[in-house]
Amino acid sequence: MTRNPLETETSAQRAMDYQEHALQAGGVSKAGSTLMAVAGSAPAYSIAASTALLIGAAGVGAPAALLWCGIPMLGIAFAFSHLARVDSHAGASFSWVARGLHPILGFFAGWALVISATVFMVAGALPAGQMTVALFAPDQADNTLLVTLVGSVWFLVMAAAVIFGVHTTERAQWIMSIIEVGILVVFAVIAIPRAITTYHHGETFSWDWFGFGHLTAAGVFVSAALIAAFYYWGWDVTANLGEETKNAHKTTGMAGILGIVIVFILFEIYTTTTLVMLPGKTIEANSGNVLSVLGDAIMPGIGGKILIIAVALSTIATLETTLVQVSRTLFAMGRDRTIPFAFGRINRKWKTPVFATLVVVVVSLLLFVLANVFGDSVGQILGWAVSSIGLQIAFYYSLAGLAVVIGFRKVIFTSVKNLILIGIWPLVGALFMMYIFFTSIPNNEPVVNILGLGLIVIGVVPLLIFYRRAKDAYFSRRPLEVPEDFSA
C-alpha cells in the first residue's frame, strides 16, 4: 500500500516539533523531585487553610479522615509510580489514562488537572496574601481586597520563577520548603509534650480519633474525605516533571510516595494537636489562620508569627509547583494538538512553556477578581475552592488508578507483590476516589458543583473542536507497553 506523501510529511514535521519543543531533560535531581512532592502538598498551607474545614466536617474524626483517605491515596501514588516507569510524560495522567483506558478519558483527566490547578491559584494566592498581611498589618488580615492584591503579587513572582527555567524553580523550592518543613518539625517536637502535659484547652485525646466511629453520621465521611483529598493533592507534580527529571522512570514515582508519607505524618500531628490544644470556638473563629493561633499556644509570644512565615513560604512554594503542574499539562496537551499548538511551544532560552504559563497567569488573575465580587470573605472563598478542587482531584486520580489496573492487567497476577501494588491497592484507591466523587455531589453547595463539575464538562468544547486535528497525535495513541517481566 502506497503511503500518502502528505501524511509522511505531516508525521515527519510532528517529530521535528517534538524535538524542537522539548523540555530541559535532567533539570530536576532525585532529591529535588522528592522536595517537589512535599512542596506540592504544601503541608503548612494545607494545615492552615483546611484544618478548620476538616474539623468542622468531621470533628474529632478529622485524624481518621486523614488516615482513611491517606491509605487509598497511597494506592494512587503506587499507580503513578508504575505508570511513570513505562511512560515518562509531561502530561502524566493525560497520557497514561489515554493509553491505559481511552484517549477521551485521558483528555478529561488532563483537563480536570488543568482546571483544578487554575482554581487553586485563588485558594493558594489568598492565604499567601493573608499571611503576609497578618505579619505586617494584623488588623487588615480580613480585608479581602488587600489580601487578594498581595496574594496576586506573590503569584506573579512565582510565575516568573517558573518561566525562568526548571533549575530556578528547583532552587526556589529548596530554600522555601526546607525552611517551612524545618519550622513545622521543630514546632511539632515542642507541641506534642506540651499538649500532653501543660496546654490542653480542647478535646481530650483518644486513640478512637483514628477509628471509623466518628465518621458514621450521614454525609460526614464523604465531606471529610473530599477535604482530606485536597490536603494530599499536589504530590503528583513529580509525574508532570517526568521529562525534566534525572532517571525519571524510577525517580518520580518514589518521590511521590515519599512525599505522601512525609506530609501524612505532619498532617496527623498538627490536626491532632489542634484538637487538643484549641477549643472548638477558637478553631471556628480562626478558620483561615488556625495555624497562627496554634503557634501562639505552642510557643507564646512569637510562635504564631513564626508559623505564619511557614505558611507564607508553603503557600508561595505550592503556587510554584502548581504552576509547574498546570503549565506542563497544557504543554503536553498543546503538543498533542488537543488544544491550540501554541501551548505546546517552549521558550528556546529557558526551555519552559512560557505561553501556557502566561495564559494560566491571566486566567488566574481574572479569577481573583471574580472571587472578590462573589465571595464575602476569604474563608468562604477558600471553602468553595477546596471542595470544588476535591471533586476534580477525585475524578482524575480515579482514572489514573484504573489506568494502571487495566493497562498492567497482563502482569498483575505474576507475583503477590504485583497483585498488591499494581492491582489491589491502586484499585482500592480508584474506587475510593470514585465513591467520594459521586457521593459528595448531592450534598455540595450549588457553587461547589458548578465549579467542580461544570468546569470539567466545559472540556467537551475543546474536545470537539480539536478532535480531528489531534486524531493522529493523540486520539490514536498506542496502548501502554508493559514488559512481561515487569515487577512492582
Side-chain angles (χ1 to χ4, degrees):
M1 181 176 177
T2 304
R3 189 172 178 84
N4 187 328
L6 292 177
E7 289 183 10
T8 305
E9 183 179 352
T10 302
S11 299
Q13 182 61 49
R14 284 175 181 162
M16 290 177 63
D17 285 340
Y18 263 69
Q19 292 179 350
E20 182 180 354
H21 299 284
L23 298 166
Q24 184 176 351
V28 180
S29 65
K30 292 180 180 180
S33 186
T34 302
L35 190 76
M36 286 286 188
V38 174
S41 291
Y45 161 76
S46 297
I47 294 165
S50 307
T51 297
L53 290 173
L54 184 61
I55 292 174
V60 295
L66 289 170
L67 172 63
W68 296 110
C69 186
I71 292 171
M73 184 65 75
L74 198 56
I76 300 299
F78 279 119
F80 272 64
S81 175
H82 300 129
L83 289 163
R85 285 172 61 181
V86 298
D87 183 16
S88 292
H89 197 281
S93 55
F94 166 73
S95 174
W96 302 335
V97 175
R99 298 180 64 187
L101 299 178
H102 193 279
I104 290 179
L105 291 176
F107 173 83
F108 278 106
W111 182 259
L113 187 151
V114 167
I115 58 177
S116 61
T118 306
V119 172
F120 175 78
M121 299 309 167
V122 176
L126 286 176
Q130 191 174 47
M131 295 303 111
T132 305
V133 172
L135 277 174
F136 298 102
D139 58 321
Q140 294 295 314
D142 291 325
N143 185 329
T144 305
L145 178 60
L146 178 61
V147 164
T148 305
L149 289 174
V150 176
S152 299
V153 171
W154 277 122
F155 174 68
L156 292 172
V157 170
M158 288 302 97
V162 171
I163 286 172
F164 291 153
V166 73
H167 282 303
T168 303
T169 302
E170 186 178 4
R171 288 191 193 103
Q173 285 302 328
W174 274 108
I175 295 170
M176 293 184 290
S177 297
I178 287 178
I179 296 173
E180 171 208 350
V181 174
I183 291 173
L184 289 178
V185 170
V186 169
F187 270 75
V189 170
I190 298 172
I192 294 172
R194 186 165 171 77
I196 294 172
T197 59
T198 59
Y199 197 99
H200 177 194
H201 292 177
E203 302 285 344
T204 300
F205 173 78
S206 171
W207 288 107
D208 290 344
W209 292 0
F210 296 91
F212 210 78
H214 297 286
L215 301 173
T216 55
V220 170
F221 176 69
V222 173
S223 298
L226 207 61
I227 298 169
F230 175 80
Y231 263 88
Y232 291 106
W233 177 61
W235 56 267
D236 50 316
V237 64
T238 60
N240 294 101
L241 286 167
E243 296 181 29
E244 301 163 86
T245 303
K246 296 175 183 176
N247 197 18
H249 290 287
K250 294 182 179 180
T251 299
T252 58
M254 183 54 65
I257 292 168
L258 288 174
I260 288 179
V261 172
I262 291 169
V263 298
F264 166 75
I265 294 170
L266 290 172
F267 289 158
E268 288 289 18
I269 290 173
Y270 276 88
T271 302
T272 305
T273 304
T274 300
L275 283 166
V276 171
M277 299 187 73
L278 300 180
K281 290 183 179 180
T282 301
I283 296 171
E284 184 179 355
N286 295 274
S287 59
N289 194 18
V290 73
L291 199 56
S292 173
V293 181
L294 180 64
D296 284 331
I298 296 171
M299 191 183 293
I302 194 174
K305 289 191 178 295
I306 294 176
L307 282 182
I308 285 177
I309 293 171
V311 175
L313 289 172
S314 177
T315 310
I316 296 162
T318 198
L319 281 175
E320 185 182 49
T321 59
T322 308
L323 271 169
V324 168
Q325 198 168 19
V326 67
S327 63
R328 269 48 174 189
T329 303
L330 285 170
F331 162 76
M333 296 176 79
R335 186 174 59 182
D336 286 340
R337 270 77 172 181
T338 59
I339 57 176
F341 183 66
F343 286 92
R345 298 184 184 278
I346 66 164
N347 180 278
R348 294 187 178 184
K349 178 179 179 181
W350 298 314
K351 295 291 183 181
T352 57
V354 173
F355 179 79
T357 306
L358 291 177
V359 169
V360 175
V361 169
V362 171
V363 172
S364 299
L365 291 176
L366 290 175
L367 287 177
F368 295 159
V369 174
L370 291 174
N372 272 278
V373 172
F374 293 106
D376 295 328
S377 68
V378 172
Q380 184 184 52
I381 295 168
L382 287 178
W384 289 345
V386 167
S387 296
S388 63
I389 291 170
L391 275 176
Q392 294 151 3
I393 295 166
F395 176 78
Y396 83 84
Y397 276 175
S398 65
L399 291 176
L402 291 176
V404 76
V405 175
I406 302 299
F408 286 65
R409 60 191 180 277
K410 293 181 180 179
V411 301
I412 286 177
F413 296 100
T414 57
S415 71
V416 174
K417 187 178 179 182
N418 282 5
L419 177 62
I420 295 173
L421 299 183
I422 301 177
I424 296 175
W425 208 337
L427 181 60
V428 168
L431 294 177
F432 176 82
M433 293 297 165
M434 291 174 66
Y435 172 76
I436 64 173
F437 176 82
F438 287 108
T439 310
S440 66
I441 293 171
N443 300 316
N444 288 333
E445 292 184 62
V447 67
V448 171
N449 285 333
I450 290 170
L451 285 172
L453 300 177
L455 293 176
I456 292 177
V457 173
I458 288 176
V460 171
V461 177
L463 175 67
L464 293 175
I465 292 174
F466 293 95
Y467 182 84
R468 291 185 64 183
R469 194 174 302 176
K471 192 171 183 180
D472 291 334
Y474 181 76
F475 291 107
S476 298
R477 186 163 291 237
R478 71 187 188 280
L480 288 169
E481 298 171 358
V482 182
E484 292 183 3
D485 60 347
F486 186 92
S487 174

